């Protein structure tokens, strides 16, 4: 299944969940907004961190959404690859497998 289709399916599932737990969804959304605004690190750096954690934790939907955010933020393939290297170092073999998914996702979505 193409990555964009997976992203669309993920967003559909999240909208369904958000409808079932609106208070929690709003609170989680507010947390995300608070974390990404302000602070010392810029938005792109924070998304790089989120991508690294997504790979190390092996969360494919997270990988897709943070990769998409990084493309929109102007991340290069070399920057993504550097983050993936760090994620592999921290997460070992399983992270290597998910890092390959992340790079494939980046390549498809940025084409």
């Amino acid at each position: 299944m193409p990555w964009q289709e997976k992203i669309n399916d993920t967003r559909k599932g999240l909208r369904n969940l958000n409808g079932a737990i609106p208070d929690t969804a709003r609170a989680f959304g507010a947390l995300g907004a608070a974390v990404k605004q302000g602070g010392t690190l810029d938005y792109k750096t924070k998304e790089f961190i989120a991508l690294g954690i997504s790979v190390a934790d092996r969360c494919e939907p997270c990988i897709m959404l943070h990769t998409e955010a990084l493309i929109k933020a102007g991340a290069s393939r070399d920057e993504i690859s550097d983050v993936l290297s760090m994620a592999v170092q921290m997460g070992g073999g399983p992270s290597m497998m998910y890092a390959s998914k992340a790079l494939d996702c980046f390549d498809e979505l940025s084409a």
Side-chain angles (χ1 to χ4, degrees), residues 6 38 44 46 58 71 81 83 99:
K6 288 182 180 187
K44 190 165 120 177
K46 291 175 183 183
R58 297 178 295 280
I71 290 167
S81 297
V83 169

Side-chain angles (χ1 to χ4, degrees), residues 27-86:
F28 187 74
L31 174 62
V35 169
K36 291 178 184 176
Q37 298 169 0
T40 304
L41 300 176
D42 65 13
Y43 173 78
K44 190 165 120 177
T45 301
K46 291 175 183 183
E47 284 294 334
F48 283 138
I49 293 167
L51 177 61
I53 292 169
S54 298
V55 169
D57 280 352
R58 297 178 295 280
C59 177
E60 187 174 285
C62 301
I63 289 168
M64 294 182 304
L65 295 173
H66 292 293
T67 297
E68 182 183 52
L70 282 161
I71 290 167
K72 290 177 182 176
S76 70
R77 191 174 196 271
D78 287 342
E79 289 173 318
I80 295 289
S81 297
D82 208 21
V83 169
L84 298 177
S85 291
M86 193 69 216

Side-chain angles (χ1 to χ4, degrees), residues 93-109:
S95 291
M96 181 77 120
M97 301 302 108
Y98 279 80
S100 71
K101 289 176 179 263
L103 191 59
D104 185 46
C105 180
F106 177 85
D107 288 343
E108 181 183 312
L109 294 178

